[in-house]
Amino acid sequence: MRHIEILDTTLRDGEQTPGVRFSLSHKIEIAKQLDRLGVDCIEAGFPASSNGDFDAVAAISREVGCAVQALARATKNDIDCAAEALKEAKHPIIHVFIATSDLHLEYKLKMTREEALDHISESVAYAKSRCERVQFSPEDATRSDREFLAKAVKRAVDAGADIINIPDTVGYTVPSEYADLVRYLLDNVEGLSDKVLCVHCHNDLGLAVANSLCAVAAGATRIECTVNGLGERAGNASLEEIVMALRVRRDITGADTAINTKEILRTSRMVSSLSGVDIALNKPVVGSNAFSHESGIHQHGIMENRRTYEIMDPEEIGLDKSTLVLGKLSGRHAYSERIEKLGYSLDGAGIDATFNRFKEIASKKVAVTDSDIRAIVNEYLDGLEGKYWIETFQIQSGNHMKAMALVSLKDRVTDRVFTESAPGEGPIDAAFNTINRIANAESVVLESYDLKAVTEGADALGEVKVKITSNNGSFTGRGVSTDVIKASIKAYVNAINKWTRAKG
Ligand code: KIV
Ligand code: ZN
């Protein structure tokens, strides 16, 4: 059986999903869970791009046992930054990239092919002098001239790259063409077969997983992917689909990964919850319909023998049907065990803070489910790093009056409390306008507002998700409460905190 390495880039390429910004504590929780999942390497960020990315790569390097990779453009400054951030990693890898397609060279880099080749030689050699392992990626490889691509890869191999990654940056290729490209490079670049050959596919045509698998059949030995397929535009190849396709059909692929598949569902739900990106019901492997059977014929078959209509065991991906619920009589011990079971590793202070919130909610709800607990923990993690904290709010609204809000937010950096009031078209609009006044965020536009119940029943927690945009990007926020106005204010403050952090 060939061993295929899995590099997870949820925290780097996955975070490029519009609206998704993981805080440092989110990233650490996800990285620890990815380590438990058994990925070979975590691409933890792009240290030269922001202080936040630098800090995340440094913190994750300290926390996990698997390899940690950091992205760098082909410049000395980026490489130095990546090397510094990876200083404490047990198995550090610097990932140097530069585009090789004529389109990117002419319009983005304004560079000739010869200049790009020189950058590759210099930057890979320099990265190799700063780090024991180096990965090189010719960005937009699938739209690059093949002969030139082979020259670029050869330069990287000669300069000492250990891993060569072939990105389908814009999700343009198709399985037969991508497999052919992998074979072409293996046949035409001397020394490449001694290196790790990696693939990185985007999903613009819905082919990212198929392209990755065909590349493996053609000789690639490492796949870059993200949990739930997060990523730019239509996302990256989805980790859970790749891993399960290789596992279920290892009779055909002759290949498998070291992933502990029983951790898949937990990882997927954690990433969905912390990113705020819901999993489609019909998403392969992890969607909530993936093991549901509607038709009578199918149900009958399943009752006789599950394999009639199921190609994998739900237990194999960690689906635990015995969903025990906690309630107001549950103690701290049962609660902290559940937190661990959901994949989180909160410290004592985190358990105390969230346990108090759990008790508050349990006193209003009959049963507190895993989804409720994830919402409580996420809210706690979100709150750890936000600049503003909600002190108090009051709303007045009615059918014959303009809604008015009075909100006090504490600036946790200076400890000052700011109070403002503002009118609005309704209570939520008034509250958001007031928060904008406090945070000087009048230029921010509310793009979307979604309210849904976390679980079923009249006593369900309401979860509000908002998306705001401004000239420095888009930011999502999430808030949970049994009171929808409170949930809305929490969600908005959460998004404003991310916007404030990105402004620097
Ligand atoms: O899609 C891409 O080309 C990338 C590179 C940085 C590897 O993400
Ligand atoms: Zn990418």
Side-chain angles (χ1 to χ4, degrees), residues 234-249:
N236 288 56
S238 136
L239 179 146
E240 52 285 351
E241 293 174 28
I242 282 175
V243 168
M244 289 316 290
L246 287 172
R247 178 69 48 93
V248 172
R249 296 313 313 274

Side-chain angles (χ1 to χ4, degrees), residues 281-452:
L281 297 179
N282 61 343
K283 167 102 173 57
V285 184
V286 291
S288 53
N289 285 354
F291 296 96
S292 298
H293 303 275
E294 179 72 15
S295 116
I297 297 174
H298 289 206
Q299 286 171 354
H300 179 76
I302 284 284
M303 270 157 21
E304 294 297 318
N305 182 336
R306 296 198 73 87
R307 275 180 298 163
T308 50
Y309 288 101
E310 274 177 7
I311 59 164
M312 51 195 147
D313 232 348
E315 285 79 26
E316 214 182 327
I317 59 146
L319 186 67
D320 180 2
K321 298 227 175 79
S322 57
T323 44
L324 271 176
V325 289
L326 298 176
K328 64 174 189 257
L329 298 178
S330 305
R332 191 180 183 285
H333 184 68
Y335 172 77
S336 64
E337 262 187 5
R338 181 57 58 89
I339 294 278
E340 235 173 77
K341 196 161 171 241
L342 294 178
Y344 296 95
S345 41
L346 299 186
D347 58 12
I351 298 279
D352 287 344
T354 56
F355 181 60
N356 289 340
R357 180 87 177 102
F358 158 77
K359 280 292 198 191
E360 219 177 277
I361 287 169
S363 68
K364 296 184 194 148
K365 271 183 113 250
V366 179
V368 183
T369 63
D370 285 352
S371 304
D372 293 332
I373 294 173
R374 266 191 215 100
I376 294 170
V377 174
N378 294 347
E379 198 172 272
Y380 166 74
L381 293 174
D382 283 343
L384 283 181
E385 289 159 51
K387 174 174 158 88
Y388 294 109
W389 181 260
I390 304 162
E391 284 278 302
T392 55
F393 69 86
Q394 275 180 45
I395 312 282
Q396 278 188 323
S397 79
N399 55 349
H400 292 300
M401 64 178 291
K402 187 126 184 123
M404 240 0 241
L406 179 72
V407 180
S408 294
L409 298 184
K410 184 184 213 165
D411 178 334
R412 294 202 296 183
V413 181
T414 61
D415 242 14
R416 282 181 61 195
V417 175
F418 296 91
T419 303
E420 281 287 354
S421 67
E425 288 310 317
I428 290 168
D429 188 44
F432 290 2
N433 290 339
T434 312
I435 294 164
N436 285 346
R437 278 193 185 168
I438 296 176
N440 291 321
E442 273 95 349
S443 62
V444 157
V445 177
L446 177 66
E447 280 248 321
S448 64
Y449 172 95
D450 284 307
L451 165 64
K452 72 166 197 216

Side-chain angles (χ1 to χ4, degrees), residues 13 200 202 236:
D13 225 357
H200 174 113
H202 281 266
N236 288 56

Side-chain angles (χ1 to χ4, degrees), residues 18 35 39 70 95 178 210 222 230 240 265 301 374 394:
D35 205 14
V39 302
H95 177 189
Y178 198 45
R222 169 165 150 129
L230 284 185
E240 52 285 351
L265 201 60
R374 266 191 215 100
Q394 275 180 45

Side-chain angles (χ1 to χ4, degrees), residues 95-290:
H95 177 189
V96 177
F97 77 101
I98 191 168
T100 48
S101 67
D102 289 335
L103 202 60
H104 279 233
L105 285 172
E106 183 178 346
Y107 292 99
K108 192 181 76 175
L109 298 176
K110 313 217 181 303
M111 210 183 258
T112 64
R113 286 183 177 187
E114 274 313 309
E115 284 167 338
L117 291 179
D118 289 343
H119 270 78
I120 295 169
S121 300
E122 279 162 31
S123 58
V124 172
Y126 183 63
K128 195 64 191 166
S129 75
R130 302 272 349 235
C131 187
E132 58 199 65
R133 291 189 87 202
V134 172
Q135 168 166 311
F136 170 71
S137 287
E139 191 192 4
D140 207 17
T142 53
R143 292 192 300 169
S144 302
D145 173 74
R146 273 193 181 190
E147 281 177 23
F148 176 63
L149 180 65
K151 278 190 191 156
V153 169
K154 176 82 170 90
R155 287 288 191 108
V157 168
D158 289 347
D162 305 274
I163 307 163
I164 300 293
N165 180 37
I166 306 298
D168 181 27
T169 305
V170 289
Y172 180 68
T173 197
V174 297
S176 53
E177 181 189 54
Y178 198 45
D180 193 51
L181 178 62
V182 166
R183 276 190 295 266
Y184 171 83
L185 292 171
L186 283 168
D187 289 346
N188 289 282
V189 180
E190 200 191 321
L192 182 58
S193 54
D194 301 331
K195 307 289 174 186
V196 174
L197 185 55
C198 180
V199 289
H200 174 113
C201 297
H202 281 266
N203 205 27
D204 299 63
L205 294 173
L207 293 170
V209 170
N211 287 336
S212 307
L213 295 176
C214 283
V216 163
T221 52
R222 169 165 150 129
I223 302 179
E224 298 201 344
C225 47
T226 59
V227 176
N228 300 336
L230 284 185
E232 287 275 3
R233 309 180 307 276
N236 288 56
S238 136
L239 179 146
E240 52 285 351
E241 293 174 28
I242 282 175
V243 168
M244 289 316 290
L246 287 172
R247 178 69 48 93
V248 172
R249 296 313 313 274
R250 56 185 186 268
D251 57 326
I252 295 290
T253 62
D256 201 358
T257 69
I259 294 293
N260 174 4
T261 61
K262 288 202 159 53
E263 294 288 338
I264 283 183
L265 201 60
R266 203 193 318 266
T267 315
S268 161
R269 299 225 164 127
M270 176 191 272
V271 168
S272 166
S273 199
L274 293 175
S275 63
V277 179
D278 290 337
I279 301 167
L281 297 179
N282 61 343
K283 167 102 173 57
V285 184
V286 291
S288 53
N289 285 354

